[in-house]
Each structure stands twice: as C-alpha cells, then as structure tokens.
Amino acid sequence: YASLAVFAAGLIYKISNWFRYEIGPDAQGISTSSRISSAARGMISTLFSAKIMTLLRVLLMDVLLQRWLMKRDFLRWLAHICIYGGFMLLLLMHGLDKLVTAVLFDEYYSTLNPFMFLRDFFGLVVIVGIGMALYRRFMSKAPRPKSTGIDYYAIIILAVIMISGIALEGTKIVSHSRYQEMVEEYSGLGEEETEELRALEAYWMDQFGVVSPNIKGSFDDKTLEQGKELHEMSCASCHSKPHWGFMGYGVATAIRPMALPLDRANVHHLLWYLHFMACFFGLAYLPFSKFFHIFSTPAYLLVDAVVEQGRSDPANLITKQAMQLDACTHCGDCTVRC
C-alpha cells in the first residue's frame, strides 16, 4: 500500500505537468486552469460523439496491440509486448492479488492452479522479453541511442524482481520450516499424533519436494496413502502440486542438495524481502523513470487521435505537446528516419 501511495502521488504529479508546462509562444497567456477545463470539456464532448469509435479503435490497435510499433520493428514489438504484457498480468494477478484476483475468484490461493502455472508462465514471458531487449541493446547492429543509467535501471530492476521471485518460489518449495508453519496452522494435528505427522511429512516429501531433516529414505505405500488422506483433508483445498510452478520447481530441484542449510539460514525470508523491496522501489519510482511511458504513450496516442491542429481548442493542442514529451522514449526512430 505504501508503494501504491508513492506511485499514485508520482502519477498525479507527472500528469499535472501536462497542464503546467508551457511549450512555445502559443502557450503564453493560457492558464493551467483553462487547460484543465478545456481538457475536461474535450473529453466529455469526445465521449458523446462519433469520435468515441476512433478512440476505441486506437485503444485496441495502437495501445493494446501496439500495431504502430510492430510495423516499425517486429523484434522490438515482441520484446515490448512480452515485458509489458507479462509484467502487467503479473502485477494484477499476483502483486495485487488481494485487490484483483481474490475479488474475481472466491477460491483463489496463489498455490492453486491455474494461478500457480499462470504466475510462472507470465514470469517466463517477461524473462523472454528481457532477453530480447538485452539482445537488441547489446548485440544488434541497428542504430540506436547510447544507453543511459535509466535504461540500465529498467533492465536491472525487472531482472531483480523476476529472479528473486523465482528463487523465492523454489526455496519455499523445499523449505521444511515453511512446511512446518503450514502444518501448525492448517492441519489440526497435535504433537502427540506422531504417526500422522510422519505420514503427512512423508507424503509432502514424496509429492511436493519438501526436504526434511527428520525423515530419510523411501516410504512404504501404507505411509504414503495415510499421508495422502491427511493431505486431502487439510491441504489439498489450497495446494496444487509444485510441478505446475515450473520455474520455481526447477530451482527447487537444483538446490535440493543445499535445501537444509538454506532453510536454516532463512534464505526464503531474505528473498521475500529482496523481492518485496525491488517491487516497492520499482513501483514507487515508475512515474519518475522511463517506465512512465507505459502510461504517457497510450494517453498521448488516444489524445493525438482526436485532437487536431486547426480544429481543436488551442489549450488542448498545448497540453498534447506537453504529453508528447513524456511519451517520447528516446528510441531513436526519429533520428533514423530524419
């Protein structure tokens, strides 16, 4: 909630600049209040006119599908769609799950399918997009502007968020302490019920990848069947098998030999803080970074579709010019084509 508050404040500040910046001599004498009122009148008149169809077309083709970018550079378009689409879906479904996913789905748990699979799938989409972006920036011979600190920040913060999230998922899968917390909270089994506790733990070691410091070796069918019954009574309603979280499960498989030392060191807690703080700083800094174009560019495309030189209110033309500054991502297309 704190990061959302900082993000909202930054977003409001950046949008206010569109009505405060004066670009060129035509902006002189037109107050901020006049530009805001002109924008409000323009939005209302557009929504109740035939131009609404133009807005819907631009929203679908140019904002969501980004047709304009695909025409210029397919690889760049694909990288952009993967990063933007995958990360926004992750943000809505996972980062804001209590506000979005849990509201839409009554029986939502992050450890249930299809949510577990979709989380990893969207994460993989973002990683593929980051890989293509890195290739274009460092390997492609196409002319482009010099990389700046903001460009590196964008890639680094995304990479930290994704890598820490996958590592967190993997360490939680094999964590015995995390398993114990779940048993104490949901199983209803007391310490005296040692046979039942052992059966449940054996089942989770066999089917869910938990690494235990207490139990070793293979398990007989009777123990596993008893553990399965206890699992279905207490755990199955909110836990799908971790194989569906394919990236986290891959990490869990790789670190299995080190699972117990990592668990004793509370590495999954450290990764949670790293993941949370990376998301916090990324979201809070978004309005002040190059990432802001995910809001400013769609807004500019929509305004540009209905605000016309010589026909629209001059105050709205000035506001559109200010929006254009934030919509520019310094991609170099204008330099290449001029």
Side-chain angles (χ1 to χ4, degrees):
Y1 292 110
S3 60
L4 283 174
V6 176
F7 164 75
L11 195 62
I12 292 170
Y13 170 75
K14 293 289 287 187
I15 292 174
S16 72
N17 290 338
W18 297 345
F19 301 98
R20 295 188 296 111
Y21 284 169
E22 296 180 356
I23 302 173
D26 293 339
Q28 301 298 320
I30 301 180
S31 65
T32 298
S33 59
S34 297
R35 288 164 64 174
I36 292 174
S37 60
S38 296
R41 288 194 301 269
M43 285 189 289
I44 293 172
S45 62
T46 299
L47 292 175
F48 292 96
S49 70
K51 288 184 177 180
I52 186 65
M53 299 307 298
T54 301
L55 280 181
L56 292 175
R57 175 179 56 80
V58 172
L59 178 64
L60 175 63
M61 302 305 296
D62 292 329
V63 174
L64 297 179
L65 299 181
Q66 300 176 21
R67 175 185 57 179
W68 57 276
L69 184 57
M70 182 170 61
K71 290 179 179 178
R72 297 178 183 178
D73 186 333
F74 178 78
L75 184 61
R76 180 179 159 201
W77 170 82
L78 186 59
H80 199 268
I81 284 291
C82 287
I83 295 174
Y84 172 73
F87 197 81
M88 290 303 294
L89 288 169
L90 267 179
L91 176 65
L92 293 173
M93 188 204 77
H94 178 57
L96 302 177
D97 57 352
K98 293 181 181 178
L99 301 176
V100 180
T101 319
V103 174
L104 296 176
F105 302 95
D106 293 336
E107 298 182 356
Y108 165 75
Y109 286 99
S110 62
T111 48
L112 276 180
N113 268 334
F115 311 108
M116 181 189 295
F117 171 78
L118 289 175
R119 182 179 64 237
D120 277 43
F121 176 73
F122 295 151
L124 179 62
V125 168
V126 175
I127 290 172
V128 170
I130 293 174
M132 287 189 288
L134 289 172
Y135 169 79
R136 289 188 69 254
R137 185 159 294 277
F138 298 113
M139 304 298 292
S140 175
K141 296 181 179 179
R144 63 189 67 259
K146 181 180 179 180
S147 298
T148 65
I150 292 178
D151 298 317
Y152 292 127
Y153 168 81
I155 299 297
I156 290 171
I157 193 65
L158 275 175
V160 171
I161 290 173
M162 301 311 302
I163 293 172
S164 62
I166 296 167
L168 172 61
E169 184 180 30
T171 54
K172 287 175 69 175
I173 288 173
V174 296
S175 171
H176 185 261
S177 62
R178 188 71 186 90
Y179 164 79
Q180 284 292 105
E181 292 171 6
M182 182 203 70
V183 170
E184 293 170 5
E185 187 169 356
Y186 298 108
S187 71
L189 297 174
E191 294 182 0
E192 68 282 356
E193 298 173 279
T194 54
E195 183 179 342
E196 289 82 357
L197 287 171
R198 184 183 184 281
L200 181 60
E201 188 167 329
Y203 183 77
W204 269 69
M205 290 175 64
D206 185 70
Q207 297 294 317
F208 286 80
V210 172
V211 177
S212 172
N214 305 319
I215 304 175
K216 306 292 181 182
S218 58
F219 309 104
D220 59 80
D221 293 341
K222 182 179 178 181
T223 299
L224 292 176
E225 185 61 32
Q226 184 182 12
K228 181 180 179 181
E229 292 177 3
L230 292 167
H231 165 78
E232 291 175 348
M233 290 171 54
S234 306
C235 313
S237 61
C238 56
H239 280 278
S240 297
K241 289 189 177 181
H243 307 72
W244 290 103
F246 54 92
M247 289 199 294
Y249 189 73
V251 171
T253 302
I255 66 172
R256 191 175 304 280
M258 302 176 290
L260 293 178
L262 292 174
D263 194 30
R264 286 193 294 268
N266 285 321
V267 169
H268 59 286
H269 286 142
L270 297 176
L271 286 170
W272 184 89
Y273 283 111
L274 175 63
H275 186 64
F276 174 84
M277 294 304 295
C279 292
F280 174 87
F281 285 116
L283 185 60
Y285 188 58
L286 187 151
F288 310 99
S289 71
K290 195 174 182 178
F291 282 137
F292 183 62
H293 78 272
I294 67 175
F295 298 99
S296 57
T297 301
Y300 173 76
L301 290 171
L302 292 170
V303 170
D304 186 54
V306 295
V307 175
E308 304 172 62
Q309 187 76 34
R311 300 183 62 181
S312 299
D313 190 321
N316 289 334
L317 291 170
I318 295 167
T319 300
K320 187 179 84 166
Q321 285 182 309
M323 294 176 68
Q324 194 171 18
L325 293 177
D326 276 333
C328 177
T329 60
H330 308 282
C331 64
D333 277 351
C334 55
T335 304
V336 171
R337 287 165 173 75
C338 182

